[in-house]
Amino acid sequence: MKHPPHLLPAALALIVAATCQSGSPQARSTSSSAAVRVPVVLELFTSEGCSSCPPADALLARLEEQQPVVGAEIIALEEHVDYWDHQGWTDPFSSGQWTQRQQAYAFGFGDHGIYTPELVVNGRAGFLGSYAGHAYKVIVGAIAQSRTDITLSLRKSEKREHERLSVEVGKLQGAEPDDIAEVWLAITETALHSAVTGGENAGQDLHHAPVLRWLHKVGSTDRIATPSFTGESDIKLDSAWNRKNLRVVAFVQERHSRHILGAAVMRLEPSPVDSQTQPIAGP
């Protein structure tokens, strides 16, 4: 575990569970009546400048690719922080926005400072990102949490290099009575890697799980309405992104508790056809 070079280490007590789930990467039913996989959002705060991070990156990639936890649809967001960028290597995927997001989690958890690699599951638990046993245990626990359904679809945009996304959020489930549940859209990109020439990982070719490229709040839900949110968002795709490797993630997150109440994920490829929508992902 690596704390930011400019901060004093903070105490972190972790209980590592050795219990792991095995099973097919295919969707499995958590009940006998329907085959449902519950979306579980895994956010890994990492950096190419941190020598402790590659094992956590590899773990997140395996979880996302193999989907080994029965009943869970693992949605991976690899968020590269920028506080390692002055230690001999500037991470090309780093952003101060992801550092701020990690700081918000640290404030909410209240028991430690920021460090890498940190894995946060559904905004509710943060721990050392390379602890596979603990990750499995927390993911299994997340399956039982109340979830809010999200419908995500892709529509034809009139603007070149733009995508128009439609989001519908069902009735809020598991929400705190005095909190505000916000709707977020994210773009991730797979198959990214770097030949690192400086810092703690000099000489390594680092490969990544889906890297968070873009994140934007699109609105807030109405807790008494069904659906609790409907809206469309027009997104301009960066020319540096490889479209065939892009995915859209929608999730609902409470502003204060930071709990993620529901999520859905969808590939952008193939290109949308006019007047048609892509298959819906999510519960």
Side-chain angles (χ1 to χ4, degrees):
M1 175 178 69
K2 293 294 187 70
H3 289 268
H6 58 285
L7 295 179
L8 293 176
L12 177 64
L14 291 172
I15 300 174
V16 182
T19 303
C20 293
Q21 295 279 329
S22 62
S24 167
Q26 302 300 318
R28 295 288 187 87
S29 175
T30 55
S31 68
S32 59
S33 60
V36 175
R37 288 193 301 159
V38 177
V40 181
V41 178
L42 272 59
E43 298 179 71
L44 178 66
F45 295 95
T46 184
S47 172
E48 291 186 346
C50 163
S51 61
S52 298
C53 288
D57 299 347
L59 173 62
L60 183 65
R62 289 196 304 272
L63 290 171
E64 192 274 336
E65 291 170 3
Q66 298 175 10
Q67 298 290 330
V69 182
V70 176
E73 179 186 17
I74 294 170
I75 300 175
L77 305 177
E78 191 173 287
E79 302 174 37
H80 290 233
V81 297
D82 66 351
Y83 49 76
W84 281 96
D85 284 356
H86 304 291
Q87 303 298 311
W89 175 254
T90 300
D91 188 330
F93 310 118
S94 66
S95 170
Q97 184 180 0
W98 314 148
T99 298
Q100 292 172 8
R101 186 166 175 82
Q102 186 185 25
Q103 289 170 337
Y105 278 130
F107 179 80
F109 295 149
D111 58 355
H112 58 71
I114 60 173
Y115 61 91
T116 52
E118 181 182 23
L119 188 63
V120 176
V121 178
N122 269 0
R124 297 171 184 262
F127 51 92
L128 191 62
S130 54
Y131 278 9
H134 195 66
Y136 276 89
K137 179 183 177 182
V138 177
I139 293 167
V140 169
I143 296 171
Q145 295 163 1
S146 299
R147 68 184 185 277
T148 298
D149 292 342
I150 299 177
T151 299
L152 178 62
S153 56
L154 186 63
R155 302 186 183 278
K156 177 71 174 178
S157 175
E158 300 301 323
K159 300 178 183 178
R160 185 178 179 183
E161 297 182 351
H162 283 242
E163 298 297 343
R164 192 158 191 83
L165 295 158
S166 175
V167 183
E168 181 176 295
V169 179
K171 184 175 179 59
L172 289 182
Q173 303 292 335
E176 296 289 338
D178 298 324
D179 215 329
I180 300 170
E182 300 174 327
V183 183
W184 293 81
L185 281 177
I187 301 288
T188 67
E189 184 173 358
T190 60
L192 292 173
H193 67 98
S194 294
V196 179
T197 60
E200 293 186 357
N201 291 314
Q204 295 192 50
D205 186 14
L206 301 181
H207 291 254
H208 301 298
V211 172
L212 187 57
R213 288 297 213 172
W214 178 88
L215 179 66
H216 183 69
K217 185 178 75 174
V218 296
S220 299
T221 61
D222 181 343
R223 74 170 48 252
I224 64 173
T226 305
S228 59
F229 175 88
T230 56
E232 292 190 356
S233 183
D234 195 80
I235 301 173
K236 186 180 188 305
L237 302 182
D238 193 308
S239 60
W241 302 342
N242 188 337
R243 180 191 169 89
K244 70 178 183 179
N245 295 329
L246 298 182
R247 296 173 186 174
V248 180
V249 179
F251 61 92
V252 175
Q253 184 168 37
E254 291 185 316
R255 181 183 299 174
H256 303 298
S257 75
R258 311 296 296 167
H259 294 169
I260 292 176
L261 306 179
V265 62
M266 179 185 66
R267 292 181 182 273
L268 276 185
E269 201 271 335
S271 298
V273 179
D274 190 20
S275 74
Q276 294 183 354
T277 62
Q278 298 298 313
I280 293 169

